[in-house]
Amino acid sequence: MKKYALVTGATSGIGKEIALKLTQKGFSVIAVGRNEAELTILSEKYGMIPNVCDLSNRDECVSLWEKYKEYDIRTLVNCAGFGYVSDFDKISIDDDVKMVNVNVLATQILTKLFSSSMKNGVILNVCSAAAFSPEPLMASYAASKSYVYSYSRAVDYELKRRNSNVRVRILCPGAVSTPFEKTAKVKNPLPSISAERCAEYAIKAIEGKRTVTVTGFKMKASRFLSRITPEKLVLAVQYKIQGSKR
């Protein structure tokens, strides 16, 4: 019997690398994205099942679940997402809403629906180190990831308490060399890791028992320091770092 994995944001960056690694582990991967040409390549070259979907559209998210709810989905990876570095009021309302729809609502809808239809397995929600504190000049993006982080932790706890065979895992990367980082013009004081290396952390998160996986020792240390540093100082440092890119 085939075991399936469904990966959103599978046409580039972290999502693509996770999809490739899941294929290597014997999963039949359902690759979800908007780039039909890239999905075709993934299908022809790696045997993935392509599915064009606009995750900013609620109805398309629901339709995605309806299409695959009877499949033996063992792993769901919510990796699709994007953001901007800018003054909050210089980002258009349409762009803000679309980002929240993809980063937050799509993740919540797919987590809720697939957790109800999966017999057992893991839902991996790819979050961000930006989830751990407010980030000036990335206000909406960081807030969206904080939402996903909080929601995922709470849902995993609920599933654990009811002895469900489905668990939620959270991956919080720091800086990763991907098209997202270049497009958003994100600046991070810590060195970037490759998307492939980040995907290795993702696989460990899927296979492991930790609810939250933070990529790398330096990022873990940074998270610890942010916990003990006054928030005003964290805000000032973040503003200076991202402001230097404008």
Side-chain angles (χ1 to χ4, degrees):
M1 181 179 292
K2 286 185 177 181
K3 58 178 181 178
Y4 292 88
L6 190 149
V7 182
T8 70
T11 57
S12 66
I14 300 169
K16 180 178 179 179
E17 293 298 332
I18 293 174
L20 291 173
K21 291 191 180 300
L22 288 170
T23 298
Q24 293 167 5
K25 286 187 169 289
F27 284 89
S28 294
V29 174
I30 301 163
V32 179
R34 291 188 305 163
N35 190 326
E36 188 171 359
E38 287 297 326
L39 288 173
T40 299
I41 292 172
L42 292 175
S43 175
E44 294 176 349
K45 191 172 183 179
Y46 302 104
M48 296 185 195
I49 302 168
N51 197 107
V52 179
C53 181
D54 180 2
L55 293 171
S56 67
N57 185 307
R58 175 192 179 278
D59 292 338
E60 290 197 30
C61 292
V62 175
S63 294
L64 182 67
W65 172 70
E66 290 177 339
K67 184 175 182 178
Y68 295 110
K69 64 182 179 181
E70 301 299 332
Y71 284 57
D72 185 17
I73 304 289
R74 301 289 185 88
T75 302
L76 166 65
V77 180
N78 286 308
C79 191
F82 68 95
Y84 305 96
V85 175
S86 178
D87 296 278
F88 79 96
D89 51 355
K90 291 182 180 178
I91 301 171
S92 73
I93 292 175
D94 287 344
D95 284 342
D96 253 348
V97 169
K98 188 172 184 178
M99 185 199 66
V100 170
N101 285 346
V102 174
N103 293 7
V104 176
L105 293 183
T107 297
Q108 180 165 342
I109 290 169
L110 295 179
T111 297
K112 182 184 292 285
L113 293 179
F114 276 101
S115 66
S116 71
S117 60
M118 290 170 66
K119 296 179 179 65
N120 60 73
V122 173
I123 297 171
L124 177 69
N125 289 335
V126 179
C127 204
S128 169
F132 300 137
S133 63
E135 296 205 359
L137 303 180
M138 292 185 69
S140 296
Y141 176 76
S144 74
K145 291 303 183 180
S146 292
Y147 184 105
V148 172
Y149 177 83
S150 178
Y151 178 76
S152 300
R153 293 218 68 169
V155 170
D156 180 64
Y157 187 79
E158 287 187 38
L159 292 171
K160 182 179 180 181
R161 288 297 298 265
R162 67 178 68 161
N163 295 316
S164 170
N165 290 322
V166 178
R167 299 305 302 275
V168 178
R169 298 290 181 250
I170 307 164
L171 178 68
C172 293
V176 182
S177 297
T178 65
F180 166 86
E181 188 180 49
K182 295 176 182 177
T183 301
K185 297 182 180 179
V186 178
K187 187 169 183 180
N188 196 298
L190 299 177
S192 297
I193 63 172
S194 68
E196 182 180 7
R197 179 64 178 134
C198 187
E200 291 173 358
Y201 280 104
I203 297 301
K204 288 181 180 179
I206 291 168
E207 296 176 342
K209 295 183 179 181
R210 290 174 178 263
T211 304
V212 181
T213 298
V214 180
T215 60
F217 173 78
K218 290 182 179 179
M219 188 50 60
K220 291 176 183 177
S222 176
R223 181 189 180 192
F224 172 76
L225 289 174
S226 69
R227 285 175 170 176
I228 63 175
T229 304
E231 190 173 79
K232 286 184 178 180
L233 180 56
V234 173
L235 290 167
V237 170
Q238 180 62 26
Y239 185 85
K240 183 175 182 180
I241 291 170
Q242 300 304 340
S244 67
K245 288 287 286 187
R246 292 186 299 167

